[in-house]
Amino acid sequence: MSKERDYYFEQYQDRKMKKWAGFYLSEHTAIIAKEQNKRPPEQKVQMSWIEIDAVLAKAFQEQLLVAIQKEELDSEGNYGEDIKGLIKGHDELGIYISDQKVGYDEIRHVDIS
Protein backbone atom coordinates (compact mmCIF):
# COMPACT_ATOMS: atom_id res chain seq x y z
CA MET A 1 0.00 0.00 0.00
CA SER A 2 2.88 2.30 0.62
CA LYS A 3 4.10 1.99 -2.97
CA GLU A 4 0.63 2.79 -4.32
CA ARG A 5 0.42 5.81 -2.10
CA ASP A 6 3.84 7.07 -3.13
CA TYR A 7 2.95 6.54 -6.79
CA TYR A 8 -0.26 8.55 -6.34
CA PHE A 9 1.53 11.53 -4.82
CA GLU A 10 4.27 11.40 -7.43
CA GLN A 11 1.69 11.59 -10.22
CA TYR A 12 -0.70 14.03 -8.52
CA GLN A 13 -0.63 17.56 -9.89
CA ASP A 14 -2.24 20.04 -7.55
CA ARG A 15 -4.22 22.68 -9.44
CA LYS A 16 -3.76 25.10 -6.55
CA MET A 17 -6.15 28.02 -6.85
CA LYS A 18 -7.62 26.75 -10.11
CA LYS A 19 -9.69 24.23 -8.19
CA TRP A 20 -11.43 27.10 -6.36
CA ALA A 21 -11.96 29.31 -9.41
CA GLY A 22 -15.25 27.71 -10.43
CA PHE A 23 -16.77 28.20 -7.02
CA TYR A 24 -15.57 31.77 -6.74
CA LEU A 25 -16.70 32.73 -10.20
CA SER A 26 -20.18 31.29 -9.89
CA GLU A 27 -20.75 33.02 -6.56
CA HIS A 28 -19.20 36.24 -7.75
CA THR A 29 -21.14 36.36 -11.02
CA ALA A 30 -24.38 35.63 -9.16
CA ILE A 31 -23.78 38.64 -6.92
CA ILE A 32 -22.88 40.87 -9.87
CA ALA A 33 -26.00 39.79 -11.78
CA LYS A 34 -28.17 40.45 -8.76
CA GLU A 35 -26.72 43.94 -8.35
CA GLN A 36 -27.20 44.74 -12.04
CA ASN A 37 -30.82 43.61 -11.95
CA LYS A 38 -31.52 45.67 -8.86
CA ARG A 39 -33.37 48.78 -9.87
CA PRO A 40 -33.77 51.83 -7.69
CA PRO A 41 -37.18 52.19 -6.04
CA GLU A 42 -39.72 54.00 -8.16
CA GLN A 43 -41.02 57.42 -7.30
CA LYS A 44 -44.48 57.05 -5.79
CA VAL A 45 -47.27 59.58 -6.00
CA GLN A 46 -46.99 62.46 -3.54
CA MET A 47 -49.89 62.07 -1.10
CA SER A 48 -51.62 64.96 0.61
CA TRP A 49 -51.29 65.31 4.37
CA ILE A 50 -54.99 64.35 4.75
CA GLU A 51 -54.42 61.07 2.86
CA ILE A 52 -51.25 60.30 4.80
CA ASP A 53 -52.98 61.00 8.12
CA ALA A 54 -55.93 58.74 7.25
CA VAL A 55 -53.69 55.80 6.28
CA LEU A 56 -51.44 56.21 9.33
CA ALA A 57 -54.42 56.44 11.69
CA LYS A 58 -55.99 53.27 10.28
CA ALA A 59 -52.67 51.39 10.39
CA PHE A 60 -52.01 52.45 13.99
CA GLN A 61 -55.52 51.60 15.23
CA GLU A 62 -55.66 48.22 13.50
CA GLN A 63 -51.95 47.35 13.97
CA LEU A 64 -51.34 46.92 10.23
CA LEU A 65 -47.97 46.88 8.47
CA VAL A 66 -47.12 50.03 6.53
CA ALA A 67 -44.61 50.91 3.84
CA ILE A 68 -43.44 54.54 3.86
CA GLN A 69 -41.50 56.28 1.13
CA LYS A 70 -39.61 59.24 2.50
CA GLU A 71 -39.18 62.50 0.61
CA GLU A 72 -35.45 61.92 0.42
CA LEU A 73 -33.11 61.36 -2.52
CA ASP A 74 -29.69 59.71 -2.49
CA SER A 75 -26.61 61.12 -4.22
CA GLU A 76 -27.75 59.62 -7.54
CA GLY A 77 -31.21 61.19 -7.34
CA ASN A 78 -33.05 57.99 -6.42
CA TYR A 79 -35.54 57.41 -3.65
CA GLY A 80 -34.52 55.02 -0.89
CA GLU A 81 -36.14 51.72 -0.01
CA ASP A 82 -39.49 51.94 1.74
CA ILE A 83 -39.49 51.82 5.51
CA LYS A 84 -41.69 48.87 6.43
CA GLY A 85 -43.10 47.76 9.74
CA LEU A 86 -45.66 48.38 12.43
CA ILE A 87 -46.23 51.82 13.86
CA LYS A 88 -44.94 51.52 17.43
CA GLY A 89 -45.94 55.01 18.51
CA HIS A 90 -46.10 58.68 17.58
CA ASP A 91 -45.61 62.18 18.89
CA GLU A 92 -46.20 65.70 17.57
CA LEU A 93 -43.20 65.46 15.19
CA GLY A 94 -43.46 61.97 13.72
CA ILE A 95 -44.05 58.25 14.06
CA TYR A 96 -41.92 55.36 15.25
CA ILE A 97 -41.59 52.35 12.96
CA SER A 98 -39.31 49.44 13.84
CA ASP A 99 -37.24 51.57 16.26
CA GLN A 100 -36.82 54.33 13.67
CA LYS A 101 -38.43 57.75 13.82
CA VAL A 102 -39.92 59.20 10.65
CA GLY A 103 -40.98 62.84 10.75
CA TYR A 104 -44.39 63.73 9.37
CA ASP A 105 -42.75 66.23 7.01
CA GLU A 106 -40.50 63.47 5.60
CA ILE A 107 -43.34 61.22 4.40
CA ARG A 108 -44.01 61.24 0.66
CA HIS A 109 -46.23 58.17 0.35
CA VAL A 110 -47.62 55.54 2.69
CA ASP A 111 -49.28 52.20 1.89
CA ILE A 112 -50.77 49.53 4.08
CA SER A 113 -48.86 46.33 3.36
Side-chain angles (χ1 to χ4, degrees):
M1 184 164 181
S2 170
K3 289 182 181 183
E4 290 176 12
R5 186 172 179 200
D6 290 340
Y7 178 75
Y8 173 77
F9 285 112
E10 287 174 8
Q11 299 301 314
Y12 178 71
Q13 296 291 320
D14 186 15
R15 296 180 295 149
K16 301 191 183 350
M17 290 305 292
K18 288 183 185 179
K19 61 186 167 191
W20 299 103
F23 174 76
Y24 172 76
L25 289 177
S26 66
E27 293 294 320
H28 186 67
T29 54
I31 291 170
I32 291 172
K34 186 177 178 182
E35 287 296 321
Q36 288 176 345
N37 291 335
K38 186 177 179 184
R39 296 182 184 153
E42 64 184 42
Q43 177 182 356
K44 296 182 181 179
V45 177
Q46 173 72 51
M47 294 174 72
S48 70
W49 172 241
I50 295 170
E51 295 169 318
I52 292 171
D53 186 47
V55 174
L56 291 176
K58 179 178 179 175
F60 184 69
Q61 290 171 355
E62 298 178 20
Q63 287 297 296
L64 301 171
L65 292 171
V66 293
I68 294 177
Q69 184 176 54
K70 291 174 69 175
E71 186 64 62
E72 183 176 84
L73 300 174
D74 63 11
S75 61
E76 296 175 1
N78 298 317
Y79 285 92
E81 294 291 328
D82 289 352
I83 300 170
K84 298 178 181 179
L86 291 174
I87 300 173
K88 303 283 185 176
H90 60 91
D91 60 21
E92 63 276 353
L93 298 176
I95 58 174
Y96 296 92
I97 297 179
S98 305
D99 301 326
Q100 180 179 0
K101 184 172 184 177
V102 178
Y104 293 124
D105 59 342
E106 296 177 306
I107 299 173
R108 176 180 180 76
H109 189 91
V110 62
D111 283 321
I112 294 178
S113 299

